[in-house]
């Protein structure tokens, strides 16, 4: 018999009380999943807070690279995911495409020892491992500027994967020259060479959406995530990671209108009044939305039954180098 949401919540609570398990959820999760989590946050906060947690199991409600990052940082933890849903952007690059990007730079006269790779945390462990092996590191949307500032001190070309928008947005903020592989330009002339990946959810926001809201509600603020196109971020009043957006929006005076360019679930629960979604199309992340309360319950039940499902495993060599790339970021 199918349990109701109320019954599922009661069962989840019973299992959480009984088992050594911490439930972690990203802000983009469905409301009912988000509400039962012990730890919530943006990608950086989730990586750091979960690493410091001492429960035997981490039950991660998010997308694949997030659970994988916990396992990479703390291989002794048992990480399970109710749905191993892969972020569409992370799926745009693998280690072979990464090697091709390095080769593109080599073919254009930039030797590998003069490349410093940085991967957005929205990438799988094999790509993080490649980056770690080449002396590079991971960044998230909340620390990308700091990481790139540090990286530039080495005087090398930065290969930024996989999100071309985040790479270009940071380059614009810092007055650096950027280019996107496959879109023309000479890498020798650029400071940051971006891989051509993107988030399909954040591509939904357009400059026309901003113009629409500015015309309809003069004085409205526009707040967007740096995975949006550079033209969107340039026209915004505030650009930040999910946590930074939450802080900015919830600290606005009650009567200040704001239109937000990021995932629907998060924006919808932020602020009861004067908050708008910056798109006429509902910006839902399909993979973040895959995890249901029933999935959480079934995963907890599998731990109780002694046969955990959807456990994350990372092979030893990938784990070693991906950890180095993640730890270089955390050290900063
Ligand atoms: P944050 O690190 O800002 O939470 O972003 C994660 C993400 O996937 C945004 O699409
Ligand atoms: Fe990936 Fe975009 Fe979903 Fe974030 S919103 S998890 S980048 S597909």
């Amino acid at each position: 018999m199918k349990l109701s949401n109320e019954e599922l919540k009661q069962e989840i609570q019973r299992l959480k009380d009984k088992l050594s398990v911490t439930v972690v959820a990203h802000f983009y999760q469905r409301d009912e999943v988000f509400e039962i989590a012990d730890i919530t946050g943006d990608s950086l906060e989730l990586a750091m807070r979960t690493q410091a947690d001492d429960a035997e199991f981490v039950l991660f409600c998010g997308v694949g690279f997030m659970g994988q990052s916990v396992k990479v940082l703390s291989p002794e933890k048992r990480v399970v995911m109710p749905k191993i849903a892969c972020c569409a952007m992370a799926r745009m690059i693998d280690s072979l495409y990464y090697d091709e990007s390095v080769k593109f730079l080599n073919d254009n006269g930039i030797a590998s020892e003069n490349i410093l790779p940085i991967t957005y945390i929205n990438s799988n462990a094999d790509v993080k491992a490649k980056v770690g092996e080449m002396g590079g590191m991971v960044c998230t949307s909340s620390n990308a500027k700091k990481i790139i500032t540090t990286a530039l001190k080495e005087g090398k070309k930065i290969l930024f994967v996989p999100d071309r928008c985040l790479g270009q947005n940071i380059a614009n903020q810092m007055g650096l020259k950027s280019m996107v592989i496959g879109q023309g330009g000479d890498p020798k002339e650029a400071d940051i060479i971006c891989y051509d990946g993107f988030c399909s959810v954040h591509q939904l926001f357009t400059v026309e959406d901003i113009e629409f809201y500015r015309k309809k509600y003069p004085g409205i603020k526009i707040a967007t995530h740096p995975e949006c196109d550079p033209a969107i971020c340039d026209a915004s009043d505030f650009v930040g990671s999910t946590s930074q957006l939450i802080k900015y929006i919830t600290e606005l005076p009650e009567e200040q209108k704001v239109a937000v360019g990021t995932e629907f679930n998060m924006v919808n629960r932020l602020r009861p009044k004067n908050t708008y979604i910056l798109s006429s199309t509902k910006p839902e992340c399909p993979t973040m939305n895959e995890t249901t309360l029933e999935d959480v319950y079934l995963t907890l039940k599998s731990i109780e039954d002694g046969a955990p499902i959807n456990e994350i495993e990372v092979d030893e060599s990938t784990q070693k180098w991906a950890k180095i790339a993640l730890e270089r970021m955390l050290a900063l």
Side-chain angles (χ1 to χ4, degrees), residues 26 28 42-43 65-66 120 122 141 202 225 227 241-242:
H26 186 264
Y28 292 169
D42 68 11
S43 305
F65 75 82
M66 295 179 170
Y120 188 24
N122 294 35
S141 55
H202 287 86
H225 193 278
E227 286 174 13
S241 75
T242 50

Side-chain angles (χ1 to χ4, degrees), residues 269-287:
R269 69 171 89 89
L270 263 188
R271 197 166 166 252
K273 276 202 231 150
N274 290 328
T275 306
Y276 304 87
I277 305 277
L278 183 66
S279 175
S280 49
T281 310
K282 196 175 179 186
E284 265 180 330
C285 174
T287 41

Side-chain angles (χ1 to χ4, degrees), residues 257-327:
K257 292 189 192 308
V258 61
V260 191
T262 196
E263 212 271 345
F264 175 83
N265 286 331
M266 185 185 109
V267 183
N268 193 39
R269 69 171 89 89
L270 263 188
R271 197 166 166 252
K273 276 202 231 150
N274 290 328
T275 306
Y276 304 87
I277 305 277
L278 183 66
S279 175
S280 49
T281 310
K282 196 175 179 186
E284 265 180 330
C285 174
T287 41
M288 282 282 187
N289 271 269
E290 276 186 32
T291 306
T292 64
L293 215 45
E294 187 179 26
D295 295 328
V296 176
Y297 162 68
L298 291 174
T299 313
L300 284 168
K301 189 81 183 74
S302 75
I303 299 174
E304 186 187 39
D305 294 345
I309 54 171
N310 291 348
E311 188 160 357
I312 304 293
E313 303 287 354
V314 181
D315 72 74
E316 221 174 282
S317 146
T318 306
Q319 189 270 336
K320 176 186 154 190
W321 287 109
K323 186 172 192 220
I324 289 173
L326 275 160
E327 282 180 339

Side-chain angles (χ1 to χ4, degrees), residues 100-115 155-157 179 185-190 193:
E100 271 183 23
S101 306
V102 173
K103 186 172 178 304
F104 167 79
L105 295 191
N106 296 160
D107 292 347
N108 280 277
I110 302 168
S112 292
E113 56 272 25
N114 295 324
I115 301 170
K156 297 183 180 181
K157 293 280 180 199
M179 64 160 278
D186 179 358
K188 284 205 281 314
E189 300 294 316
I193 297 107

